[in-house]
Amino acid sequence: MNIIRVIAVILSGYVELVRQAVACDAGSIRDVPSKGELNGSNFTYPFPLKTFKFMSQRQKLEMAFMDVAPTVEPNGKVAICLHGKNFCAPTWESTARQLSGAGYRVILPDQVGFCKSSKPKSYQYTLQQLSYNTRDLLHALGIENVTVIGHSLGGMTSARFGLMFPEIVEKLVLVNPLGLEDWKALGVPYKSIDELYSFESASNYTSIREYEQPTYYVGHWDDSYDVWVNMLVNIYKGREASTFAFDQALVTDMALSAPVVYEFGLLKPHTLLLIGDKDNTALGKQWSPPDVQAKLGHYDVLGKQAAAAIPNADLIEFAHLGHAPQIQEPDRFHEALLGWLTG
Ligand SMILES: *[C@@H]1O[C@H](CO)[C@@H](O)[C@H](O)[C@H]1NC(C)=O
Ligand SMILES: *[C@@H]1O[C@H](CO)[C@@H](O)[C@H](O)[C@H]1NC(C)=O
Ligand SMILES: *[C@@H]1O[C@H](CO)[C@@H](O)[C@H](O)[C@H]1NC(C)=O
Ligand SMILES: CC(=O)N[C@H]1CO[C@H](CO)[C@@H](O)[C@@H]1O
């Protein structure tokens, strides 16, 4: 009897070891506090927070993410929302509430180098690497099929994700994505990573607001936008300030160097472009000569071009909105998004 018990204990120990080895290989997930400082950000996250720990480029990294359960009868679908360069996962809060209220499970990650995720001292940022990290997070959560919703740089990453993993993308939604044009081919001068780093290091409330007001919000400013600027300033001034600025410089270089626009014809998923037409965002516009600036960031034209180039795409335009329609007019934005997803 005792022998059997001993064997059972040994066996269960062995099973646990194997389970841990498998879990470690696929990355591991743990709960972390939603409040307080994590990897250089002290922003309070609106839903329970977890991290996904995994190996990438010979480093142990952690991606912070929120996993929001449906608040009604589940529809069996999962949506993942990818934030832009100047936002973090919490900026999707109201969208996540809408989606979970429609039966979706919603995954909201912070990408590596951003927000509450690891800030590597060096990392080869590529849209493909960010897509792999995102796909591995979904694997670790046992999620097989997703609706991918990406804004700005997150939209550019989503397009790459859709090109790489069409078999797991049920639908693709690009909200004022970056990468609808190839900035360097249009004449944006090259900036070294050191120059980009100095530029990033100088970020403060004023510089971020001055950048966002004309591009994101068509010249208008509402006090409610401050929360997202302060979330970012907090990281630029936080414990990981210089590493964050360096990571952001690498990220800018990544987006400038790795166009997706030439591959739009290869995108397989059913795609929705949600475009604020007054957006004039273009990477490198600030340091380009006036004749180049004049060519860049015409989202009223770029949205239509992308919709024509992507084989199975629908386009919804907001004639009077800028780069962040989900922030500027959440009700109209969510009506359009949910209408398309469920329609
Ligand atoms: C986060 O940090 C900022 C500036 O360092 C501070 O003003 C703010 O109160 C902090 N917030 C929290 C929730 O700790
Ligand atoms: C996942 O999405 C793909 C692409 O839309 C679809 O072909 C496939 O049937 C879906 N798989 C499951 C298990 O829902
Ligand atoms: C904020 O940054 C801008 C541009 O980097 C700089 O000109 C300005 O002096 C800074 N303001 C403060 C209050 O630090
Ligand atoms: C790279 C890095 O510093 N990651 C840290 C992120 O935060 C978690 C939780 O505090 C730490 O365990 C990681 O080391």
Side-chain angles (χ1 to χ4, degrees):
M1 187 184 74
N2 276 346
I3 285 279
I4 290 173
R5 191 172 292 163
V6 167
I7 290 173
V9 166
I10 290 172
L11 267 183
S12 72
Y14 177 74
V15 167
E16 178 58 19
L17 276 180
V18 169
R19 196 194 63 76
Q20 281 177 8
V22 169
C24 182
D25 196 33
S28 61
I29 287 171
R30 67 190 180 98
D31 296 320
V32 292
S34 304
K35 274 189 193 173
E37 209 271 350
L38 183 65
N39 291 316
S41 160
N42 78 352
F43 194 80
T44 299
Y45 277 34
F47 306 106
L49 189 63
K50 296 171 193 287
T51 62
F52 170 53
K53 193 175 203 167
F54 63 111
M55 288 295 292
S56 176
Q57 302 183 14
R58 309 178 68 212
Q59 307 179 58
K60 275 188 198 147
L61 298 179
E62 279 191 288
M63 264 173 98
F65 70 98
M66 293 172 281
D67 184 350
V68 186
T71 53
V72 296
E73 180 75 23
N75 65 3
K77 294 179 195 289
V78 181
I80 184 165
C81 303
L82 304 185
H83 64 79
K85 181 173 176 291
N86 291 323
F87 288 153
C88 296
T91 317
W92 286 115
E93 178 181 354
S94 70
T95 304
R97 293 196 190 281
Q98 293 288 326
L99 290 166
S100 62
Y104 283 86
R105 175 182 178 186
V106 188
I107 310 298
L108 306 171
D110 284 339
Q111 293 295 340
V112 164
F114 289 84
C115 310
K116 290 197 191 245
S117 290
S118 297
K119 312 283 177 300
K121 291 207 165 36
S122 75
Y123 198 57
Q124 180 75 38
Y125 282 94
T126 61
L127 294 169
Q128 287 86 341
Q129 179 70 64
L130 299 183
S131 298
Y132 260 99
N133 297 349
T134 305
R135 195 268 322 252
D136 290 351
L137 166 64
L138 293 171
H139 269 188
L141 293 169
I143 294 166
E144 284 170 2
N145 250 25
V146 278
T147 291
V148 182
I149 302 170
H151 170 242
S152 190
L153 179 66
M156 190 175 184
T157 310
S158 300
R160 178 57 64 196
F161 189 97
L163 287 162
M164 292 174 78
F165 309 118
E167 66 286 354
I168 63 167
V169 179
E170 199 172 320
K171 286 184 173 175
L172 183 62
V173 180
L174 309 176
V175 184
N176 285 76
L178 294 189
L180 298 184
E181 58 192 341
D182 179 353
W183 307 286
K184 70 177 152 39
L186 291 167
V188 169
Y190 181 74
K191 281 260 186 238
S192 72
I193 285 167
D194 294 304
E195 288 171 296
L196 295 173
Y197 171 67
S198 323
F199 179 77
E200 290 286 344
S201 301
S203 297
N204 58 35
Y205 174 85
T206 312
S207 67
I208 296 170
R209 176 171 162 170
E210 277 177 1
Y211 173 73
E212 291 186 359
Q213 189 161 335
T215 49
Y216 286 39
Y217 306 114
V218 202
H220 173 73
W221 194 263
D222 190 283
D223 287 346
S224 67
Y225 307 155
D226 276 340
V227 64
W228 308 125
V229 178
N230 290 329
M231 174 177 69
L232 212 56
V233 172
N234 173 248
I235 313 170
Y236 277 113
K237 309 282 180 207
R239 192 170 55 88
E240 302 278 349
S242 62
T243 320
F244 177 60
F246 186 64
D247 282 325
Q248 293 300 304
L250 296 178
V251 160
T252 303
D253 182 67
M254 164 192 81
L256 281 164
S257 315
V260 288
V261 61
Y262 304 115
E263 291 156 84
F264 281 170
L266 302 171
L267 267 172
K268 293 203 178 77
H270 188 192
T271 302
L272 172 64
L273 287 145
L274 283 166
I275 304 289
D277 276 351
K278 291 280 189 291
D279 187 6
N280 54 23
T281 301
L283 282 191
K285 198 161 100 177
Q286 306 102 300
W287 67 76
S288 294
D291 60 319
V292 173
Q293 285 190 356
K295 289 190 241 169
L296 304 173
H298 298 287
Y299 272 76
D300 52 341
V301 177
L302 293 170
K304 294 178 184 76
Q305 279 175 5
I310 298 170
N312 187 9
D314 298 314
L315 171 66
I316 298 177
E317 292 177 285
F318 305 103
H320 62 293
L321 300 182
H323 188 61
Q326 75 276 37
I327 309 289
Q328 236 189 324
E329 276 195 15
D331 292 347
R332 272 191 67 196
F333 174 82
H334 292 127
E335 196 187 325
L337 173 65
L338 271 296
W340 185 82
L341 288 176
T342 58

